[in-house]
PDB file of all heavy atoms in Angstrom:
ATOM      1  N   GLY A 141       4.102  -0.899   1.680  1.00  0.00           N
ATOM      2  CA  GLY A 141       4.624  -1.337   3.000  1.00  0.00           C
ATOM      3  C   GLY A 141       5.536  -2.529   2.939  1.00  0.00           C
ATOM      4  O   GLY A 141       5.613  -3.318   3.848  1.00  0.00           O
ATOM      5  N   ASN A 142       6.224  -2.674   1.753  1.00  0.00           N
ATOM      6  CA  ASN A 142       7.149  -3.808   1.536  1.00  0.00           C
ATOM      7  C   ASN A 142       6.353  -5.134   1.637  1.00  0.00           C
ATOM      8  O   ASN A 142       6.897  -6.149   2.107  1.00  0.00           O
ATOM      9  CB  ASN A 142       8.267  -3.803   2.616  1.00  0.00           C
ATOM     10  CG  ASN A 142       9.453  -4.692   2.230  1.00  0.00           C
ATOM     11  OD1 ASN A 142       9.715  -4.836   1.044  1.00  0.00           O
ATOM     12  ND2 ASN A 142      10.102  -5.201   3.191  1.00  0.00           N
ATOM     13  N   SER A 143       5.121  -5.117   1.185  1.00  0.00           N
ATOM     14  CA  SER A 143       4.266  -6.346   1.291  1.00  0.00           C
ATOM     15  C   SER A 143       4.609  -7.359   0.197  1.00  0.00           C
ATOM     16  O   SER A 143       4.575  -8.571   0.453  1.00  0.00           O
ATOM     17  CB  SER A 143       2.782  -5.959   1.170  1.00  0.00           C
ATOM     18  OG  SER A 143       2.457  -4.970   2.108  1.00  0.00           O
ATOM     19  N   PHE A 144       4.881  -6.876  -1.028  1.00  0.00           N
ATOM     20  CA  PHE A 144       4.927  -7.753  -2.161  1.00  0.00           C
ATOM     21  C   PHE A 144       5.991  -8.908  -1.988  1.00  0.00           C
ATOM     22  O   PHE A 144       5.707 -10.016  -2.490  1.00  0.00           O
ATOM     23  CB  PHE A 144       5.197  -6.993  -3.494  1.00  0.00           C
ATOM     24  CG  PHE A 144       5.360  -7.911  -4.644  1.00  0.00           C
ATOM     25  CD1 PHE A 144       4.288  -8.613  -5.089  1.00  0.00           C
ATOM     26  CD2 PHE A 144       6.611  -8.073  -5.182  1.00  0.00           C
ATOM     27  CE1 PHE A 144       4.479  -9.517  -6.202  1.00  0.00           C
ATOM     28  CE2 PHE A 144       6.814  -8.942  -6.233  1.00  0.00           C
ATOM     29  CZ  PHE A 144       5.739  -9.705  -6.736  1.00  0.00           C
ATOM     30  N   ILE A 145       7.068  -8.624  -1.350  1.00  0.00           N
ATOM     31  CA  ILE A 145       8.086  -9.646  -1.244  1.00  0.00           C
ATOM     32  C   ILE A 145       7.543 -10.938  -0.523  1.00  0.00           C
ATOM     33  O   ILE A 145       8.185 -11.933  -0.589  1.00  0.00           O
ATOM     34  CB  ILE A 145       9.387  -9.092  -0.486  1.00  0.00           C
ATOM     35  CG1 ILE A 145       9.023  -8.597   0.936  1.00  0.00           C
ATOM     36  CG2 ILE A 145      10.102  -8.023  -1.316  1.00  0.00           C
ATOM     37  CD1 ILE A 145      10.306  -8.458   1.778  1.00  0.00           C
ATOM     38  N   TYR A 146       6.420 -10.792   0.167  1.00  0.00           N
ATOM     39  CA  TYR A 146       5.843 -11.968   0.824  1.00  0.00           C
ATOM     40  C   TYR A 146       4.878 -12.785  -0.054  1.00  0.00           C
ATOM     41  O   TYR A 146       4.146 -13.630   0.412  1.00  0.00           O
ATOM     42  CB  TYR A 146       5.144 -11.513   2.084  1.00  0.00           C
ATOM     43  CG  TYR A 146       6.094 -10.853   3.048  1.00  0.00           C
ATOM     44  CD1 TYR A 146       6.186  -9.475   3.169  1.00  0.00           C
ATOM     45  CD2 TYR A 146       7.025 -11.594   3.744  1.00  0.00           C
ATOM     46  CE1 TYR A 146       7.182  -8.853   3.919  1.00  0.00           C
ATOM     47  CE2 TYR A 146       8.030 -11.042   4.546  1.00  0.00           C
ATOM     48  CZ  TYR A 146       8.033  -9.635   4.659  1.00  0.00           C
ATOM     49  OH  TYR A 146       9.026  -9.030   5.379  1.00  0.00           O
ATOM     50  N   ALA A 147       4.916 -12.518  -1.417  1.00  0.00           N
ATOM     51  CA  ALA A 147       4.016 -13.221  -2.316  1.00  0.00           C
ATOM     52  C   ALA A 147       4.327 -14.752  -2.353  1.00  0.00           C
ATOM     53  O   ALA A 147       3.479 -15.555  -2.693  1.00  0.00           O
ATOM     54  CB  ALA A 147       4.109 -12.692  -3.695  1.00  0.00           C
ATOM     55  N   ALA A 148       5.541 -15.055  -1.895  1.00  0.00           N
ATOM     56  CA  ALA A 148       5.889 -16.503  -1.873  1.00  0.00           C
ATOM     57  C   ALA A 148       5.904 -16.991  -0.399  1.00  0.00           C
ATOM     58  O   ALA A 148       6.564 -18.014  -0.096  1.00  0.00           O
ATOM     59  CB  ALA A 148       7.245 -16.741  -2.509  1.00  0.00           C
ATOM     60  N   GLY A 149       5.246 -16.322   0.461  1.00  0.00           N
ATOM     61  CA  GLY A 149       5.126 -16.690   1.888  1.00  0.00           C
ATOM     62  C   GLY A 149       6.233 -15.990   2.750  1.00  0.00           C
ATOM     63  O   GLY A 149       6.963 -15.116   2.253  1.00  0.00           O
ATOM     64  N   GLY A 150       6.291 -16.396   4.011  1.00  0.00           N
ATOM     65  CA  GLY A 150       7.303 -15.832   4.881  1.00  0.00           C
ATOM     66  C   GLY A 150       6.882 -14.637   5.737  1.00  0.00           C
ATOM     67  O   GLY A 150       7.708 -14.084   6.495  1.00  0.00           O
ATOM     68  N   TRP A 151       5.669 -14.210   5.597  1.00  0.00           N
ATOM     69  CA  TRP A 151       5.117 -13.098   6.392  1.00  0.00           C
ATOM     70  C   TRP A 151       4.750 -13.634   7.781  1.00  0.00           C
ATOM     71  O   TRP A 151       3.870 -14.510   7.881  1.00  0.00           O
ATOM     72  CB  TRP A 151       4.001 -12.366   5.741  1.00  0.00           C
ATOM     73  CG  TRP A 151       3.319 -11.348   6.627  1.00  0.00           C
ATOM     74  CD1 TRP A 151       2.049 -11.421   7.170  1.00  0.00           C
ATOM     75  CD2 TRP A 151       3.856 -10.069   7.050  1.00  0.00           C
ATOM     76  NE1 TRP A 151       1.835 -10.250   7.886  1.00  0.00           N
ATOM     77  CE2 TRP A 151       2.916  -9.443   7.838  1.00  0.00           C
ATOM     78  CE3 TRP A 151       5.075  -9.423   6.811  1.00  0.00           C
ATOM     79  CZ2 TRP A 151       3.123  -8.158   8.406  1.00  0.00           C
ATOM     80  CZ3 TRP A 151       5.314  -8.204   7.400  1.00  0.00           C
ATOM     81  CH2 TRP A 151       4.320  -7.614   8.187  1.00  0.00           C
ATOM     82  N   ASN A 152       5.423 -13.188   8.807  1.00  0.00           N
ATOM     83  CA  ASN A 152       5.108 -13.567  10.175  1.00  0.00           C
ATOM     84  C   ASN A 152       5.401 -15.084  10.435  1.00  0.00           C
ATOM     85  O   ASN A 152       4.912 -15.630  11.422  1.00  0.00           O
ATOM     86  CB  ASN A 152       3.668 -13.296  10.590  1.00  0.00           C
ATOM     87  CG  ASN A 152       3.417 -11.809  10.919  1.00  0.00           C
ATOM     88  OD1 ASN A 152       2.406 -11.443  11.390  1.00  0.00           O
ATOM     89  ND2 ASN A 152       4.477 -10.948  10.670  1.00  0.00           N
ATOM     90  N   LYS A 153       6.080 -15.718   9.493  1.00  0.00           N
ATOM     91  CA  LYS A 153       6.476 -17.077   9.805  1.00  0.00           C
ATOM     92  C   LYS A 153       7.777 -17.418   9.078  1.00  0.00           C
ATOM     93  O   LYS A 153       8.069 -16.917   8.031  1.00  0.00           O
ATOM     94  CB  LYS A 153       5.328 -18.095   9.494  1.00  0.00           C
ATOM     95  CG  LYS A 153       4.845 -18.132   8.125  1.00  0.00           C
ATOM     96  CD  LYS A 153       3.851 -19.309   8.019  1.00  0.00           C
ATOM     97  CE  LYS A 153       3.366 -19.453   6.599  1.00  0.00           C
ATOM     98  NZ  LYS A 153       2.226 -18.686   6.212  1.00  0.00           N
ATOM     99  N   SER A 154       8.445 -18.474   9.659  1.00  0.00           N
ATOM    100  CA  SER A 154       9.710 -18.878   9.060  1.00  0.00           C
ATOM    101  C   SER A 154       9.416 -19.743   7.846  1.00  0.00           C
ATOM    102  O   SER A 154       8.324 -20.372   7.776  1.00  0.00           O
ATOM    103  CB  SER A 154      10.448 -19.638  10.134  1.00  0.00           C
ATOM    104  OG  SER A 154      11.735 -19.881   9.671  1.00  0.00           O
ATOM    105  N   GLN A 155      10.250 -19.769   6.913  1.00  0.00           N
ATOM    106  CA  GLN A 155      10.091 -20.657   5.742  1.00  0.00           C
ATOM    107  C   GLN A 155      11.462 -20.957   5.155  1.00  0.00           C
ATOM    108  O   GLN A 155      12.402 -20.169   5.331  1.00  0.00           O
ATOM    109  CB  GLN A 155       9.159 -20.069   4.707  1.00  0.00           C
ATOM    110  CG  GLN A 155       9.722 -18.844   4.030  1.00  0.00           C
ATOM    111  CD  GLN A 155       8.983 -18.491   2.721  1.00  0.00           C
ATOM    112  OE1 GLN A 155       8.233 -19.282   2.210  1.00  0.00           O
ATOM    113  NE2 GLN A 155       9.233 -17.343   2.155  1.00  0.00           N
ATOM    114  N   LYS A 156      11.533 -22.056   4.386  1.00  0.00           N
ATOM    115  CA  LYS A 156      12.742 -22.367   3.647  1.00  0.00           C
ATOM    116  C   LYS A 156      12.595 -21.609   2.339  1.00  0.00           C
ATOM    117  O   LYS A 156      11.620 -21.857   1.627  1.00  0.00           O
ATOM    118  CB  LYS A 156      12.822 -23.899   3.410  1.00  0.00           C
ATOM    119  CG  LYS A 156      14.222 -24.348   3.114  1.00  0.00           C
ATOM    120  CD  LYS A 156      14.345 -25.831   3.248  1.00  0.00           C
ATOM    121  CE  LYS A 156      15.721 -26.259   2.828  1.00  0.00           C
ATOM    122  NZ  LYS A 156      15.978 -26.203   1.412  1.00  0.00           N
ATOM    123  N   VAL A 157      13.503 -20.710   2.044  1.00  0.00           N
ATOM    124  CA  VAL A 157      13.300 -19.900   0.823  1.00  0.00           C
ATOM    125  C   VAL A 157      13.887 -20.636  -0.408  1.00  0.00           C
ATOM    126  O   VAL A 157      15.032 -21.026  -0.396  1.00  0.00           O
ATOM    127  CB  VAL A 157      14.001 -18.482   0.998  1.00  0.00           C
ATOM    128  CG1 VAL A 157      13.881 -17.692  -0.280  1.00  0.00           C
ATOM    129  CG2 VAL A 157      13.389 -17.758   2.167  1.00  0.00           C
TER     130      VAL A 157
END
Side-chain angles (χ1 to χ4, degrees):
N142 196 31
S143 303
F144 176 69
I145 59 164
Y146 300 100
W151 172 249
N152 283 188
K153 60 173 184 270
S154 191
Q155 68 163 347
K156 199 165 177 289
V157 177

